[in-house]
Amino acid sequence: MSATIALVDDDRNILTSVSIALQTEGFMTRVYSDGESALKALIENPPDLAVLDIKMPKMDGLELLRRLREKSAIPVIFLTSKDDELDEALGLAMGADDYIAKPFSQRLLIARIRAILRRTESAQPSAEGEPQEPAEALERGRLVMDPARHRVTWGGSNVTLTVTEFLILETLAQRPGIVKTRNQLMDAAYQDDIYVDDRTIDSHIKRVRRKFRQVDPEFDAIETLYGAGYRFSDE
């Protein structure tokens, strides 16, 4: 069956255009113009994933997510303002799965949706009712990554990553010391036929480093090889 995506945004142009784009890709959609009207519907009839704008009247996206997480664990992607890093960090800490900054590419949003749905589906029981074998935790020095729980720790301290950031780090950590080009990291993070500028991968790497340095100011496990790419060091 097609996945159902809920869109919550007070901008009707965004609701209409994104809904049409998702339907063209085979998704079913439900749209809500404010957090208050969306909350009850999302809890009583949960979609497979919800895309929430942060800045909305009546009830903003952060408050909607807080109330939603009291009842539901559905995946959530936030739409944020371009430089709203505080809201991004708060949303992730409250349980959002990813965020994307406005103005955004619809193809990029769809790629993020698919990546999260794939990860969610891998944790669900199989068609025969048997749970699928969970992916093993990845341990590299002080780094521990648990794909089944989307959990990352460094020296025992939690590090909150988006799905995209998680996939990039996982790709680097799977083969320590091996250089991964930006194209290889793009393929791992997006997996769909979508163009992503080199600077997008660089921005993700900077965010990942910043998050790890919040728990360990001396974190230097992700190395840049100028003109080649990035590699993970577990020494």
Side-chain angles (χ1 to χ4, degrees):
M1 293 179 63
S2 299
T4 298
I5 311 300
L7 306 172
V8 189
D9 198 310
D10 61 321
D11 187 328
R12 293 194 176 275
N13 290 329
I14 289 179
L15 288 180
T16 300
S17 61
V18 174
S19 182
I20 291 173
L22 287 170
Q23 290 170 16
T24 300
E25 294 295 319
F27 294 101
M28 295 184 289
T29 60
R30 302 178 197 146
V31 299
Y32 308 93
S33 59
D34 64 81
E36 278 189 356
S37 63
L39 179 60
K40 184 177 180 181
L42 294 179
I43 292 174
E44 293 184 351
N45 188 17
D48 295 288
L49 181 145
V51 179
L52 313 180
D53 186 27
I54 285 188
K55 298 190 184 312
M56 296 185 291
K58 297 184 180 179
M59 181 188 297
D60 66 21
L62 292 172
E63 177 63 14
L64 174 57
L65 177 63
R66 185 188 70 79
R67 297 195 189 185
L68 191 59
R69 282 291 175 258
E70 293 174 355
K71 304 284 186 179
S72 173
I74 62 170
V76 166
I77 295 176
F78 265 135
L79 301 180
T80 74
S81 300
K82 185 175 181 180
D83 299 314
D84 226 341
E85 292 189 9
L86 180 60
D87 282 347
E88 291 170 2
L90 183 55
L92 292 172
M94 292 169 63
D97 296 88
D98 213 334
Y99 58 82
I100 189 167
K102 293 181 176 180
F104 57 88
S105 157
Q106 292 180 357
R107 291 185 65 204
L108 180 57
L109 175 61
I110 290 169
R112 298 277 182 94
I113 288 172
R114 285 181 170 153
I116 292 172
L117 291 178
R118 278 192 293 265
R119 182 171 292 278
T120 302
E121 288 166 3
S122 69
Q124 299 300 317
S126 66
E128 291 77 20
E130 295 293 329
Q132 297 181 12
E133 193 69 24
E136 294 184 3
L138 177 68
E139 298 186 26
R140 297 288 186 266
R142 302 178 67 189
L143 174 71
V144 179
M145 303 186 72
D146 185 346
R149 296 176 176 81
H150 190 72
R151 187 167 182 264
V152 180
T153 61
W154 178 260
S157 299
N158 289 327
V159 181
T160 303
L161 300 181
T162 69
V163 169
T164 305
E165 292 164 352
F166 189 101
L167 291 171
I168 290 173
L169 179 60
E170 184 179 42
T171 301
L172 291 170
Q174 282 172 341
R175 301 190 65 189
I178 301 299
V179 178
K180 294 291 185 179
T181 67
R182 290 174 177 81
N183 284 337
Q184 289 173 319
L185 296 176
M186 289 177 198
D187 290 342
Y190 294 99
Q191 299 179 342
D192 291 290
D193 183 19
I194 179 171
Y195 171 76
V196 180
D197 190 278
D198 283 359
R199 290 171 296 180
T200 301
I201 296 299
D202 294 339
S203 295
H204 285 309
I205 293 290
K206 288 178 182 178
R207 288 176 183 270
V208 170
R209 284 173 171 154
R210 184 165 62 241
K211 289 178 179 182
F212 275 87
R213 285 169 181 162
Q214 288 174 350
V215 301
D216 178 6
E218 298 183 359
F219 174 83
D220 61 357
I222 300 176
E223 301 175 355
T224 302
L225 283 87
Y226 293 98
Y230 297 94
R231 70 183 173 196
F232 182 85
S233 172
D234 59 354
E235 297 179 357

